[in-house]
Amino acid sequence: MRVQQFQGGASNPTFLLTTETADGPWRYVLRKKPPGQLLASAHQVDREHRIMKALEGRVPVPHMRALCEDPEVIGTAFYVMDFLPGRIFRDATLPGLTPADRAAVYDELNATLAKLHQVDFEAVGLGDYGRPGNYFERQVARWTRQYRDAETETVPEMEALIEKLPARIPADQSVSIAHGDYRLENVMFHPTEPKLIAVLDWELSTIGHPLADLGYNGFMWRSHSPSWGMLDGVDFATSGIPTEADYVAAYCRRTGRHEIEDWPFYVAFGVFRLASISQGVYRRILAGIAASERPAENGAPALAKQALEILEGG
């Protein structure tokens, strides 16, 4: 067996396993917890395995082969799934694709999210995968705590968000599976066709609110970060890429929604969460816990400023 580690930002180390057989090479992917002392709520590869196994045949996911929770085998818990050849688009503007293919890629991204949110999580054995109801109340409180634990300076926009977000939580208490990190970079497409073949990176998944996923996904139209995904400079009339309004309208049609009350809240919440995460990463870099090749730079203030602008300006 040949073992090669994938390079990238995945918090759970991921490896390509290649075995030679009489029928040719067979390839699998192994994901494991990182070594060392870990937070109890982080790096739960058993949850990733569980949700993808439950969703197979309902949402595009790789086929799960095995989960091993015995740390004696390779040092940490791990799971093995089938390797899928395909494309992951790092640039949200999709250079090199035709307008028709760009339109199809975004339509697939939209349709798959709608399909995920319509899965009956109780029927697929995920009734205890998270706490249904009051999702945003709990999430705003959680990310506020995480921000406070990592705070290094006073960020006025973050203070304003912490005050304003709880009062803006919409009355909609929809419940569904929530992926938690649904964006173009976290799905895989067919090697040559604009067909979505796998949703990846389920580490933040839970039973939550569907519009949290849509708002987070929708930040791509407001983002100015190429590393996260942005659409700055796109000509929506000719590129094939839909506008934010058209993308949201397509999701609403697919899920039977007539409208979304206070859409800016859902986008702003997603950016607020990113700001809290960014603050935590910055604090760990300062403490020498997180390795980084770049100088320590806190991205939280800029994200908080943008989140507040979205919340107040729509």
Side-chain angles (χ1 to χ4, degrees):
M1 179 184 291
R2 188 172 63 197
V3 180
Q4 299 165 283
Q5 184 167 1
F6 287 102
Q7 300 302 310
S11 63
N12 291 325
T14 308
F15 302 83
L16 175 64
L17 313 179
T18 306
T19 62
E20 296 296 336
T21 72
D23 299 324
W26 284 64
R27 293 184 291 179
Y28 306 92
V29 173
L30 180 151
R31 269 171 74 86
K32 74 180 191 71
K33 290 188 177 187
Q37 191 70 30
L38 305 174
L39 293 172
S41 61
H43 310 287
Q44 294 176 303
V45 294
D46 55 321
R47 283 176 62 84
E48 286 188 34
H49 176 272
R50 180 185 174 190
I51 192 165
M52 284 190 281
K53 189 174 179 64
L55 290 175
E56 186 169 0
R58 295 172 174 84
V59 174
V61 290
H63 176 60
M64 298 295 107
R65 290 290 179 175
L67 169 68
C68 177
E69 298 183 86
D70 181 356
E72 298 299 316
V73 178
I74 65 168
T76 65
F78 68 94
Y79 68 89
V80 176
M81 58 186 171
D82 282 359
F83 171 83
L84 293 174
R87 295 175 293 170
I88 293 177
F89 297 114
R90 309 287 182 189
D91 186 337
T93 65
L94 304 177
L97 269 61
T98 64
D101 278 358
R102 291 191 193 109
V105 163
Y106 274 88
D107 196 56
E108 285 274 296
L109 187 69
N110 187 290
T112 303
L113 185 62
K115 188 181 295 183
L116 170 65
H117 291 159
Q118 291 172 306
V119 171
D120 183 338
F121 58 87
E122 295 271 6
V124 299
L126 295 173
D128 61 346
Y129 194 70
R131 288 164 50 192
N134 298 318
Y135 177 77
F136 287 108
E137 288 85 348
R138 291 183 284 108
Q139 284 285 300
V140 170
R142 173 189 173 182
W143 293 108
T144 298
R145 285 194 305 271
Q146 296 219 6
Y147 172 75
R148 293 293 187 215
D149 289 344
E151 195 172 3
T152 54
E153 62 196 89
T154 299
V155 179
E157 292 85 0
M158 203 65 174
E159 299 303 322
L161 288 166
I162 289 168
E163 177 187 350
K164 292 174 181 290
L165 281 171
R168 281 280 291 273
I169 294 173
D172 185 328
Q173 289 288 339
S174 300
V175 176
S176 73
I177 296 170
H179 179 275
D181 196 10
Y182 193 82
R183 53 196 173 106
L184 190 61
E185 194 178 24
N186 284 341
V187 300
M188 179 179 283
F189 281 80
H190 185 278
T192 59
E193 301 171 20
K195 178 181 173 164
L196 198 156
I197 61 171
V199 181
L200 306 170
D201 292 325
W202 292 86
E203 188 180 349
L204 296 175
S205 61
T206 189
I207 303 305
H209 198 297
L211 297 184
D213 273 347
L214 185 65
Y216 181 81
N217 188 195
F219 179 49
M220 197 153 46
W221 280 263
R222 323 276 188 116
S223 168
H224 305 304
S225 169
S227 63
W228 192 89
M230 70 173 190
L231 294 169
D232 283 354
V234 167
D235 182 350
F236 296 109
T238 62
S239 66
I241 296 173
T243 64
E244 177 189 315
D246 286 342
Y247 189 83
V248 172
Y251 174 89
C252 288
R253 285 195 302 274
R254 287 181 162 121
T255 55
R257 287 181 173 272
H258 297 296
E259 61 180 355
I260 296 177
E261 178 192 348
D262 201 359
W263 167 245
F265 168 84
Y266 297 105
V267 183
F269 166 76
V271 186
F272 166 73
R273 191 184 70 163
L274 285 173
S276 179
I277 292 170
S278 182
Q279 180 68 47
V281 171
Y282 178 65
R283 180 65 178 264
R284 290 195 296 276
I285 292 173
L286 290 182
I289 299 170
S292 176
E293 297 174 355
R294 294 176 296 179
E297 183 177 347
N298 191 358
L303 285 167
K305 183 175 186 292
Q306 190 171 10
L308 188 61
E309 289 171 353
I310 292 169
L311 188 69
E312 294 182 334

